[in-house]
Amino acid sequence: MEFSIIKKSPVMFGYYRLATAVPQLRVADVSYNVNELIRLYHTASENDAAVIVFPELSITGASCGDLFLQPVLQQAAMEGLLEFIESTQDCPTIAILGLPLLYEESLFNVAAVVQDGSLLALIPKTILPNSRDSYQKRHFSSARLLGDTVHMVDINGEEVPFGTGIILRDGAGPFSAGVELGDDLRSIIPPSSHLALAGARIILNPDAGASLVNKYQYAKDLVAQQSARCLCAYVHSSAGVGESTTDSVSAGHSLIAINGELIIQDSGFHRESTIHYADVDIERLMTARLMDSSFDDTRLYGDNCLYIETISSPPCSPSLDFARISPYPFLPSESEQEIRCEEILNIQTHGLAKRIEHTHAKKLVIGISGGLDSTLALIICKRACELLNKPTTDILALTMPGFGTTTRTRSNATEMCRLLGVEFREVPISNACLQHFSDIGHDPAERTTTYENVQARERTQILMDLANKHGGMVVGTGDLSEIALGWSTYNGDHMSMYSVNCSIPKTLIRCLIEHIAGHSSPELAKILRDINATPVSPELLPPSDDGSIEQKTEDVIGPYDLHDFFLYHFFKYGAQPDKILALAEQAFADKFNTDFIKKCLGIFIRRFFQQQFKRSCSPDGPKVGTIALSPRGDWRMPSDAWATAWQSYLED
């Protein structure tokens, strides 16, 4: 077997533009309908769509009833298909459109796959609804009549594959697609499940169901769930309002989902023809399938499937204009924020409560700086005590002012602890650090890493010793962003007995604190929001002359907004650095320029690899989302790995 490297254009990176179209049709007026399909097809082609999906039976209209049994309509439909095929000459965009097809004295509801002046395949519908609002078995035969074999049918002198087990793929890229029709999706085991297991990364569904109350929501749920279950992109187009209204109305909704996320949602009822586009990352699906062992456990390697090569490579997205790239991928959507935030807080709370019960800890010892991470950790401690019916005075919160502590953070820490009703102590560390500088022969005028780390380790020593003294446990405050970057002092704030924030990135911590503020008293909410607005800092260097924070973390390593974005795409989808850069350019176009993003990405890669040794011995903590860096399960990486290959992607 030969392997080759495919060089990608700067805007490609596995993205394909998928289109779902709902044309305005006339029932049984094939000539009119085909003209509209051709117009929409060329619009999609001019916009570099890789594929466009039209509704079921779009050449004739889906509501023709007994007219489907008329040879005149059958012949007109075939002539309309040939006219459409001819119109696609020299166009690499793939079209999925529907018509009735007579084959060996049986009539089938089929989807035609057309590209570049050729008919690539005909795919019949399997599940034929036959209930109150639909009676397709009156007119059509199920694909089951054909068995598992792909047949060959003569269309205008050409032998064309005809059957359900057909996958269309591009030999030069990651594009691969399968087709199911309408109610096939609603079956217990949809054909798309088999197609996905056999290698289809995109499922295309032309549909024509009537619009009923709540049916659109049902369709959204089905499409999203099937795209998640199959780890695929799913494109769904339904017949529009031009269908007959004799007994029902068709809405013409359009849906595109990728791995459980709906990125196009149009409920329909448009009086004009519509096209919706989505730039979809197929490489992302390949990585998701690679990482999901359950997918591989049930995978089919071509059993009873026919793989058809495209005439030419479907166009890749020329840009990411129709891609949904969130700059804050860790944050819940606004509509789900309340539920998701409470869910996260509950996971943290119950994780800590279990550890308290198991260790019989009498005190929860925590360092409070007046910053984001320790604030969230302290609130989790309070919630855990309430869950276990323990008094909040079982929480021993310490503020340990040093050389860089500012009045703002010290005041916020003190007042917050008072409002939460925890035991609060202040233990200054400056004298102890000066003594240690003397012991190790370090000049305190040298503001080096040693100067900073001595303070961090002194604070950790105090916390650990007080935990021993009171029969308690030290609750860690470090977050996922800091763990990824190694932004902690080894055997200092890097260490604890339980790390409640270990899988929560900095951007999400801000969201959680704002959520908590929204459910707090006005006095506490004011402090929490000021903490959220305070620059992130370890406060290990002296403040400015005006008493404000001088040492700002994001001035040194770059914004956490970027680093969280980098971490998400690097970890979850294995995106290479040049692709991450391209995505970040799109997501942060109004905020950061390319050179700055590239500089920060270089910092992320370097630190992620260099600081693995800290992650290799990190403490226990609860996993709240799909991304965590625990060395015991989620991320197993040698501490001595080099970043050379990743850096070369960025540099080149």
Side-chain angles (χ1 to χ4, degrees):
M1 183 179 293
E2 294 183 359
F3 295 90
S4 60
I5 297 175
I6 301 171
K7 294 293 185 181
K8 301 179 177 65
S9 68
V11 293
M12 178 185 168
F13 300 117
Y15 274 85
Y16 289 88
R17 185 162 294 169
L18 310 181
T20 173
V22 178
Q24 285 300 310
L25 302 179
R26 295 178 181 174
V27 180
D29 190 343
V30 171
S31 178
Y32 179 91
N33 296 343
V34 169
N35 285 336
E36 186 64 5
L37 294 175
I38 291 172
R39 184 184 72 82
L40 293 173
Y41 172 82
H42 284 288
T43 299
S45 180
E46 290 164 6
N47 282 279
D48 295 294
V51 62
I52 180 170
V53 180
F54 294 108
E56 184 179 356
L57 295 165
S58 47
I59 288 179
T60 58
S63 52
C64 292
D66 287 352
L67 292 177
F68 284 127
L69 302 176
Q70 292 285 316
V72 171
L73 186 63
Q74 296 165 17
Q75 181 62 30
M78 180 55 63
E79 291 172 357
L81 174 62
L82 296 177
E83 181 184 352
F84 183 89
I85 293 169
E86 180 67 24
S87 75
T88 66
Q89 289 280 0
D90 302 320
C91 291
T93 298
I94 298 166
I96 309 296
L97 65 161
L99 73 158
L101 176 71
L102 185 65
Y103 177 72
E104 294 185 353
E105 299 182 345
S106 294
L107 192 65
F108 294 89
N109 176 352
V110 304
V113 182
V114 178
Q115 184 200 33
D116 202 1
S118 296
L119 178 60
L120 302 183
L122 292 163
I123 298 162
K125 187 173 184 177
T126 301
I127 304 299
L128 300 176
N130 207 50
S131 56
R132 294 181 178 89
D133 63 326
S134 184
Y135 40 91
Q136 289 194 16
K137 286 184 179 180
R138 179 183 176 100
H139 309 120
F140 299 110
S141 296
S142 168
R144 292 196 181 98
L145 185 66
L146 303 173
D148 295 332
T149 305
V150 175
H151 298 247
M152 301 301 291
V153 60
D154 184 284
I155 303 294
N156 199 33
E158 298 288 336
E159 292 292 306
V160 178
F162 176 46
T164 55
I166 294 175
I167 293 178
L168 190 69
R169 64 184 181 185
D170 173 23
F175 181 95
S176 62
V179 178
E180 66 181 2
L181 287 79
D183 289 85
D184 289 351
L185 172 60
R186 299 172 180 85
S187 60
I188 295 174
I189 304 177
S192 53
S193 297
H194 298 289
L195 292 168
L197 289 170
R201 298 172 187 131
I202 305 169
I203 301 298
L204 311 169
N205 186 331
D207 191 9
S211 180
L212 303 171
V213 173
N214 205 41
K215 192 171 183 179
Y216 172 60
Q217 181 61 49
Y218 178 57
K220 289 199 300 181
D221 292 343
L222 280 178
V223 168
Q225 290 171 14
Q226 188 66 357
S227 73
R229 187 177 294 111
C230 294
L231 295 173
C232 72
Y234 202 106
V235 186
H236 187 267
S237 177
S238 184
V241 297
E243 294 287 350
S244 172
T245 60
T246 300
D247 288 307
S248 61
V249 173
S250 296
H253 60 250
S254 299
L255 300 168
I256 300 178
I258 178 168
N259 196 11
E261 179 188 5
L262 281 167
I263 51 180
I264 294 296
Q265 305 178 56
D266 182 1
S267 59
F269 295 108
H270 301 294
R271 303 295 299 172
E272 304 291 335
S273 297
T274 61
I275 301 181
H276 294 284
Y277 302 99
D279 291 324
V280 173
D281 187 353
I282 303 303
E283 281 187 353
R284 164 180 162 180
L285 296 172
M286 296 168 65
T287 303
R289 289 181 176 185
L290 184 65
M291 292 180 175
D292 191 331
S293 59
S294 62
F295 182 88
D296 211 40
D297 285 344
T298 52
R299 191 171 180 185
L300 304 172
Y301 290 94
D303 291 349
N304 299 318
C305 278
L306 175 65
Y307 296 89
I308 299 176
E309 297 289 327
T310 58
I311 300 297
S312 53
S313 293
C316 300
S317 297
S319 65
L320 300 177
D321 294 341
F322 296 99
R324 180 178 293 183
I325 305 171
S326 170
Y328 302 103
F330 285 104
L331 300 190
S333 64
E334 187 173 344
S335 61
E336 296 183 334
Q337 190 166 305
E338 181 77 16
I339 294 174
R340 292 291 173 263
C341 286
E342 278 303 314
E343 190 175 15
I344 292 166
L345 295 172
N346 279 330
I347 291 172
Q348 291 180 278
T349 300
H350 282 265
L352 179 58
K354 170 64 178 178
R355 184 53 56 94
I356 294 169
E357 287 182 316
H358 184 73
T359 59
H360 303 288
K362 297 176 182 177
K363 284 278 187 182
L364 299 180
V365 181
I366 182 171
I368 300 299
S369 65
L372 291 167
D373 298 344
S374 62
T375 295
L376 178 60
L378 177 62
I379 290 169
I380 296 301
C381 288
K382 182 177 186 294
R383 288 171 63 113
C385 285
E386 291 171 347
L387 183 67
L388 298 173
N389 295 317
K390 293 168 68 71
T392 53
T393 51
D394 281 356
I395 302 169
L396 175 54
L398 290 95
T399 183
M400 295 166 279
F403 305 123
T405 303
T406 60
T407 301
R408 179 182 185 180
T409 56
R410 189 173 181 176
S411 173
N412 279 338
T414 302
E415 190 61 15
M416 178 174 59
C417 289
R418 181 187 70 81
L419 292 170
L420 293 175
V422 304
E423 182 182 348
F424 177 72
R425 296 187 198 176
E426 183 174 297
V427 182
I429 65 167
S430 297
N431 290 337
C433 291
L434 289 172
Q435 178 61 50
H436 191 62
F437 290 152
S438 176
D439 293 341
I440 65 173
H442 180 77
D443 182 357
E446 296 178 8
R447 307 290 168 73
T448 62
T449 305
T450 301
Y451 178 89
E452 297 183 35
N453 287 349
V454 161
Q455 298 172 71
R457 292 194 178 102
E458 177 61 28
R459 286 175 172 141
T460 301
Q461 176 179 259
I462 292 169
L463 294 172
M464 291 290 183
D465 290 345
L466 280 172
N468 289 155
K469 178 179 174 65
H470 294 286
M473 60 185 288
V474 175
V475 178
T477 62
D479 64 54
L480 178 63
S481 306
E482 294 178 343
I483 292 169
L485 293 164
W487 194 254
S488 59
T489 299
Y490 191 83
N491 207 32
D493 53 316
H494 152 262
M495 191 46 60
S496 67
M497 295 168 184
Y498 197 72
S499 181
V500 294
N501 295 337
C502 66
S503 64
I504 304 181
K506 195 76 75 177
T507 49
L508 181 55
I509 286 183
R510 292 188 189 277
C511 177
L512 290 170
I513 291 177
E514 179 58 38
H515 167 78
I516 294 165
H519 295 268
S520 301
S521 67
E523 196 175 3
L524 179 58
K526 181 180 179 182
I527 293 171
L528 293 176
R529 291 189 172 116
D530 189 61
I531 289 171
N532 241 353
T534 302
V536 178
S537 172
E539 292 194 323
L540 298 173
L541 295 177
S544 302
D545 293 340
D546 61 1
S548 62
I549 295 173
E550 175 71 20
Q551 183 188 23
K552 298 177 182 177
T553 299
E554 292 177 296
D555 287 349
V556 179
I557 60 174
Y560 278 113
D561 288 4
L562 284 176
H563 287 302
D564 286 356
F565 183 90
F566 300 154
L567 174 63
Y568 179 86
H569 290 278
F570 172 83
F571 184 96
K572 192 171 180 68
Y573 300 114
Q576 64 265 28
D578 51 344
K579 180 174 183 175
I580 295 174
L581 176 61
L583 298 179
E585 285 178 312
Q586 180 84 358
F588 294 98
D590 298 330
K591 196 168 185 180
F592 306 116
N593 63 45
T594 298
D595 289 341
F596 182 74
I597 296 172
K598 185 175 180 181
K599 175 186 174 183
C600 293
L601 181 53
I603 292 171
F604 173 84
I605 294 169
R606 175 176 57 80
R607 292 194 63 93
F608 188 88
F609 277 81
Q610 287 180 347
Q611 303 293 311
Q612 171 64 25
F613 73 97
K614 294 179 183 176
R615 296 191 291 270
S616 294
C617 57
S618 57
D620 295 350
K623 178 179 179 180
V624 302
T626 58
I627 295 179
L629 292 171
S630 167
R632 291 166 293 277
D634 292 282
W635 184 251
R636 300 184 184 185
M637 170 182 168
S639 298
D640 305 310
W642 287 79
T644 309
W646 287 264
Q647 289 169 331
S648 68
Y649 264 98
L650 187 60
E651 292 164 2
D652 293 342

